[in-house]
Amino acid sequence: MRLVNAGLLTHLHTAHAALPLLTRTPGGLHIEITDGTSEFNAAHYRESIYLDLTKTAVSRLAFGLGHELSDSECTALAITPGWLRSEMMLDLFDTSEQTWLRDSLDTERELPPADFAISETPHLLGRTVVAVASDAQRHRFNTRTLSTRELADIYAIDDIDGSRPDSWSFMAAKEADLGADAREYR
């Protein structure tokens, strides 16, 4: 239950507090950050009912808010990054921003796993948020959950290392056993 409280109810409480401010003038923007595209989450159970519910409900929250806010000409959407190369993950895998790619492709190392080669920094997520917020046509995304890769392609944005990782397509290809190579999705 703690997972639902921390991962979903916090989003609901924040939206409840922010929506009166957003709806004062037309064009407000509400962005949820989630984990998993709608397609991925629809086809994959996430370890436990609490985690699964939390991951899928945040996208559904953006969907519902998009409908609720339509009369006020506001936009609500969710953005999902791929495998996030945060400071915590770099520490966990005993690597650094300078060596993570070499380390993840090093077959002698157990960690990080080779799939970490398709990771992205929090900067890519931030850049996509800024791009959406700056887009006068952002309402076209209302009610949707988009990946950072989708938005990076739309806005021609790269991560700080010049890459444009495609984690969700990589996972789908790997699951379909197409012999996915992480280098193909960077």
Side-chain angles (χ1 to χ4, degrees), residues 53 118 130 155 175:
L53 178 63
I118 48 91
V130 169
Y155 295 112
E175 184 175 89

Side-chain angles (χ1 to χ4, degrees), residues 46 55 61 80 87 105 114 121-122 130 137 146 168 176 181 184:
R46 294 306 221 20
K55 297 299 182 189
L61 175 60
T80 178
E87 292 84 356
L105 297 175
T121 71
V130 169
Q137 304 298 316
L146 299 122
W168 299 107
D181 183 345
E184 295 174 26

